[in-house]
Amino acid sequence: MRRFLPDTFTMLLVLTVLTASFFPVQGASAHYFSIATNFAIGLLFFLHGARLSRDVVIAGLLHWRLHLVILLTTFGIFPLLALGMGQIVPTSILPTALYTGILFLSVLPSTVQSSIAFTSIAGGNVPAAICAASASNIFGMFLTPLLVGVLFSVGGQGGFSWDVLEQIMLQLLAPFIAGQLLQPWIGSWIRSKKQILMPVDRGSILMVVYSAFSEAVVEGLWHTFSVADIATVIVANIVLLALVLSITMFGSRALGFSKADEITITFCGSKKSLASGVPMANVIFAGQGIGAIVLPLMLFHQVQLMTCAFLAQKYADAAKKREAAKAETEAREATNAA
């Protein structure tokens, strides 16, 4: 049953939202808190760049066919499904602001840590997962703001100024490149201090969430959406995830990938990154109330963790059964030969 319970970070997110709901940061304090948040986001992407080994990236390019399928799923199939959902579900059922959040999460890159972890548990191609998830986040810094402009225009949500791309480059890509440049000297140390530096990763996300929901609460977020609206978003997230999981799982089999590669495609292609999404929302939708925009992403985060934990265990159990059957067959053949 533990796989169905919220993880520690999800509980911290819930606590942050509750804190913002009752004690929102306002006025001059909000201004200085925003400056601190931007600094924390820059540090977060600097650490991302410093952690990523160039050898891993180069090795991953050799399996280009697998990575191409994952990227097409993440930045192609996912957005098309979200766009189609907007054509089917009327705004009376799914409020426009929340649908904007679903559109936004659909163009985000894949997660890194959880994609790799679930791939490992399920017995998938871990080196490929590391490369695929990392590449997804690198390309996401370019593709996500571009797709937001295209997708939101088609979906009738309006576009955004192309100045946003410049802000992405300055606030997210520049620190990432700086980390990559220093990676040969500090990369090993940073990877070895994962537990110590984890609060920086999660703390920056919590700071953005607190700032976003504080602003949204002041503007009347919880008076705008009902419990039914939140429930609708959860159902929409479940449907979206189920469709992508089915496409990645059965599609990879149809394309002739091995079982290990199928697992990698399934988990890396179906995940969306909260760690990248929240900071990006803070930049792309600057000056807007992003509380409603990141809410579907936060809910999707928990849905994907629970679903993929269950699926990873199913893959692992199936692998054990195959190994047991193979061992039994080999023992029987050895006995017959004797």
Side-chain angles (χ1 to χ4, degrees):
M1 291 299 295
R2 290 184 62 185
R3 70 170 69 101
F4 297 107
L5 297 176
D7 63 320
T8 302
F9 185 52
T10 299
M11 296 302 295
L12 288 173
L13 283 171
V14 172
L15 181 60
T16 301
V17 171
L18 289 174
T19 302
S21 298
F22 292 102
F23 306 102
V25 61
Q26 304 179 58
S29 298
H31 172 71
Y32 292 115
F33 189 81
S34 177
I35 294 175
T37 299
N38 289 336
F39 175 80
I41 290 172
L43 181 58
L44 170 68
F45 278 82
F46 173 81
L47 293 175
H48 280 335
R51 285 194 192 100
L52 183 59
S53 171
R54 294 176 194 175
D55 294 337
V56 170
V57 176
I58 295 173
L61 294 176
L62 299 177
H63 208 345
W64 64 269
R65 187 164 166 262
L66 177 143
H67 299 312
L68 181 61
V69 170
I70 292 174
L71 287 173
L72 286 175
T73 303
T74 302
F75 298 110
I77 293 175
F78 230 121
L80 288 175
L81 289 173
L83 193 61
M85 183 178 291
Q87 304 302 314
I88 297 172
V89 182
T91 55
S92 58
I93 296 178
L94 187 62
T96 300
L98 294 178
Y99 174 61
T100 299
I102 291 178
L103 274 180
F104 174 65
L105 79 84
S106 75
V107 299
L108 289 174
S110 177
T111 61
V112 177
Q113 289 91 342
S114 58
S115 291
I116 296 169
F118 287 133
T119 299
S120 177
I121 293 170
N125 188 337
V126 175
I130 295 172
C131 297
S134 301
S136 178
N137 276 263
I138 294 172
F139 283 115
M141 281 184 273
F142 299 96
L143 292 177
T144 294
L146 292 174
L147 287 172
V148 165
V150 173
L151 201 64
F152 280 32
S153 177
V154 173
Q157 308 300 313
F160 71 100
S161 169
W162 289 105
D163 290 340
V164 167
L165 187 58
E166 180 182 349
Q167 292 300 314
I168 289 282
M169 299 302 102
L170 291 174
Q171 289 189 242
L172 307 184
L173 185 61
F176 180 88
I177 292 176
Q180 262 290 284
L181 292 175
L182 294 175
Q183 188 273 332
W185 295 278
I186 66 175
S188 297
W189 182 84
I190 288 178
R191 286 190 290 271
S192 68
K193 303 298 181 182
K194 180 180 178 181
Q195 295 301 321
I196 298 177
L197 295 174
M198 186 179 293
V200 176
D201 287 2
R202 297 187 171 185
S204 60
I205 298 171
L206 294 175
M207 288 175 70
V208 176
V209 169
Y210 178 65
S211 177
F213 273 89
S214 290
E215 182 178 354
V217 167
V218 171
E219 294 176 355
L221 174 68
W222 300 125
H223 298 291
T224 305
F225 304 116
S226 65
V227 174
D229 292 333
I230 305 301
T232 301
V233 172
I234 294 174
V235 172
N237 282 341
I238 292 173
V239 171
L240 191 58
L241 180 61
L243 288 173
V244 175
L245 283 172
S246 299
I247 291 171
T248 52
M249 186 182 301
F250 296 110
S252 58
R253 295 175 187 175
L255 291 171
F257 284 99
S258 66
K259 178 60 69 172
D261 287 345
E262 172 196 322
I263 291 170
T264 302
I265 292 171
T266 298
F267 288 117
C268 292
S270 63
K271 308 293 283 301
K272 290 298 179 178
S273 176
L274 183 70
S276 296
V278 173
M280 284 185 178
N282 194 53
V283 176
I284 293 173
F285 302 100
Q288 304 179 40
I290 68 169
I293 295 173
V294 300
L295 182 58
L297 174 60
M298 292 171 58
L299 295 172
F300 189 85
H301 170 77
Q302 184 58 32
V303 170
Q304 71 181 6
L305 286 181
M306 294 192 311
T307 304
C308 290
F310 175 78
L311 190 58
Q313 193 58 54
K314 285 293 184 182
Y315 269 118
D317 292 341
K320 290 179 182 178
K321 290 179 180 179
R322 287 195 300 270
E323 291 175 2
K326 181 180 178 181
E328 184 179 345
T329 301
E330 290 176 350
R332 188 183 303 114
E333 290 176 350
T335 301
N336 293 336

